[in-house]
Amino acid sequence: MREGNSVLYKRIFKLLTDFSSLLILIVVFAFFTIVNIFYGNDFLTMSNISVIVNQSCFLAVIGIAQALAILTGGINLSIGSVMAFSTVLWGRMLMSSGSQVHYLIPTLLIIATGMFIGMVNGLLITKLKMPPFIATFAVMYACRGMAWVALGKKVIYNLSQQFRYWGTGIIENFNGFMLTVPMVIVLVLLILTSFILKRTTFGRNIYFTGANPIAAKFSGIPTDRIIILVYVLSTGLAAFAGLLYGARLNSFEPGMATKAHFEGITVALIGGFAMSGGFGNIWGVLCGAVIVSAIYNGMNILGVSSELQTLVMGTVIILSVAFNQLLVRWNMALRNELDEGEADNEKPESFRRA
């Protein structure tokens, strides 16, 4: 009986740790709601929640890109520079006064450029055996340099309104909550990524490769191919994030998104991904993005200075990531214990007694 209760408690606690990012999100919203009440501000209004969710869309895309790399036990530091280089390279075709080609052509060229750079990342890691940190760090500098060479100190601005709709368009107003095009795009991306990771052999191989690359290789999984494809997807998503970023700001320039790789890491870690690889739920990225956006939004409403915001954000990130990573370790330990318990229960009675 005690053993049964113990297993039940472990299952309940594991369920709570599965939703650790959601718990942090609730705490953040509760904190800023209470603090803003004391200052006479409304935090939990439909319009403000709409602003928070809309601002988190860009963070969610780079969070997904970074989470895919982290799942393999790697990292992608080239995200921001790829956003800049790919959009600067083809961005003139998206200007309202530029070439008369359909905006989908440069859009596809930008994403294809990102995917090609992702393949370079993957080849450096798998064929030249470079650590992911070093490989993507080198590509980061190379892409940022090429962006400056390609455009110099100029800025590509006044983009096509058809293109800008994908970054700023409003679909419906629900009592103050604006359902925007970026929200729908991110939702579709999350559904597709979740399906790939949970329902396909490729997705399961990504988890296996990240959790134990040696065992995965000996099991017949083409780990090198998996890693290359993951970086192709990750960096392709980075280029796509650059499109959304530019559509929102109405410009492309070589110095854009210099902190995007760090923001992606923050969102992924707060979202429950483990840097060791092989663990994480892609829906946690959405929670991580909303958490970061809500913290900035809450501080802006309170009138916190930009300097103090940097200090507060750094502290909050440390606390959130430390708490979430602790829950991740507990979750992994509980999962192993429960799996071992189920394996013992499947053994014959005589074997268990022995």
Side-chain angles (χ1 to χ4, degrees):
M1 184 68 177
R2 288 180 180 177
E3 185 178 346
N5 288 336
S6 176
V7 171
L8 178 62
Y9 293 147
K10 287 179 180 178
R11 289 187 183 279
I12 293 172
F13 190 66
K14 180 186 173 297
L15 186 64
L16 290 174
T17 56
D18 280 337
F19 295 95
S20 57
S21 302
L22 186 58
L23 294 175
I24 296 173
L25 178 62
I26 293 170
V27 170
V28 168
F29 268 81
F31 173 78
F32 280 109
T33 300
I34 294 169
V35 171
N36 275 284
I37 286 174
F38 283 110
Y39 283 87
N41 302 321
D42 285 331
F43 181 75
L44 279 183
T45 62
M46 293 297 286
S47 59
N48 193 47
I49 292 173
S50 173
V51 169
I52 291 171
V53 175
N54 191 52
Q55 289 176 344
S56 68
C57 289
F58 165 73
L59 290 173
V61 177
I62 60 173
I64 295 170
Q66 195 64 261
L68 289 172
I70 289 174
L71 272 179
T72 64
I75 198 167
N76 191 351
L77 298 180
S78 66
I79 285 176
S81 59
V82 168
M83 289 171 58
F85 173 63
S86 59
T87 53
V88 160
L89 190 62
W90 305 105
R92 288 188 180 91
M93 297 171 71
L94 287 167
M95 294 173 64
S96 58
S97 58
S99 175
Q100 297 304 309
V101 299
H102 195 278
Y103 71 90
L104 282 178
I105 294 175
T107 296
L108 292 174
L109 287 171
I110 287 169
I111 295 172
T113 301
M115 295 176 75
F116 175 77
I117 297 169
M119 185 177 67
V120 173
N121 278 332
L123 290 172
L124 290 175
I125 294 166
T126 57
K127 303 307 178 184
L128 297 185
K129 305 302 178 185
M130 294 177 67
F133 181 91
I134 301 299
T136 58
F137 186 72
V139 171
M140 175 187 77
Y141 269 98
C143 287
R144 187 69 69 179
M146 287 189 292
W148 283 108
V149 169
L151 196 63
K153 295 183 179 180
K154 299 176 183 177
V155 177
I156 297 171
Y157 62 94
N158 192 21
L159 305 179
S160 161
Q161 289 302 312
Q162 282 183 304
F163 166 71
R164 290 205 66 206
Y165 175 77
W166 295 97
T168 60
I170 297 173
I171 298 173
E172 191 60 70
N173 183 349
F174 295 101
N175 226 7
F177 183 92
M178 299 291 185
L179 178 64
T180 64
V181 175
M183 291 180 193
V184 176
I185 290 173
V186 168
L187 182 61
V188 171
L189 273 178
L190 285 166
I191 292 171
L192 287 174
T193 309
S194 179
F195 177 81
I196 291 170
L197 291 176
K198 298 294 185 182
R199 302 294 181 183
T200 67
T201 302
F202 172 63
R204 289 189 287 271
N205 286 344
I206 292 174
Y207 278 97
F208 196 3
T209 300
N212 196 329
I214 296 174
K217 195 167 187 176
F218 279 107
S219 299
I221 294 173
T223 54
D224 285 0
R225 191 189 307 166
I226 294 294
I227 290 171
I228 291 171
L229 287 173
V230 163
Y231 276 92
V232 167
L233 288 174
S234 173
T235 318
L237 280 171
F240 181 71
L243 286 166
L244 290 181
Y245 193 77
R248 182 177 172 187
L249 297 181
N250 196 24
S251 65
F252 298 123
E253 52 100 7
M256 69 186 289
T258 54
K259 298 179 181 178
H261 50 291
F262 290 126
E263 291 172 340
I265 294 169
T266 300
V267 167
L269 292 181
I270 293 178
F273 284 77
M275 286 299 294
S276 55
F279 185 90
N281 188 325
I282 203 66
W283 290 98
V285 169
L286 179 60
C287 287
V290 176
I291 288 167
V292 173
S293 181
I295 292 170
Y296 276 121
N297 180 274
M299 289 191 292
N300 285 332
I301 291 176
L302 292 171
V304 179
S305 66
S306 59
E307 296 83 2
L308 189 56
Q309 281 192 27
T310 304
L311 172 62
V312 171
M313 195 64 194
T315 304
V316 169
I317 287 172
I318 290 172
L319 293 175
S320 298
V321 171
F323 174 69
N324 214 10
Q325 293 303 297
L326 177 63
L327 291 178
V328 165
R329 288 195 295 272
W330 285 347
N331 185 292
M332 294 171 75
L334 285 169
R335 180 177 294 184
N336 291 334
E337 288 181 22
L338 291 170
D339 287 344
E340 289 174 3
E342 289 176 2
D344 288 340
N345 290 334
E346 291 175 1
K347 294 176 182 178
E349 183 67 25
S350 59
F351 186 83
R352 275 184 282 164
R353 285 177 181 174

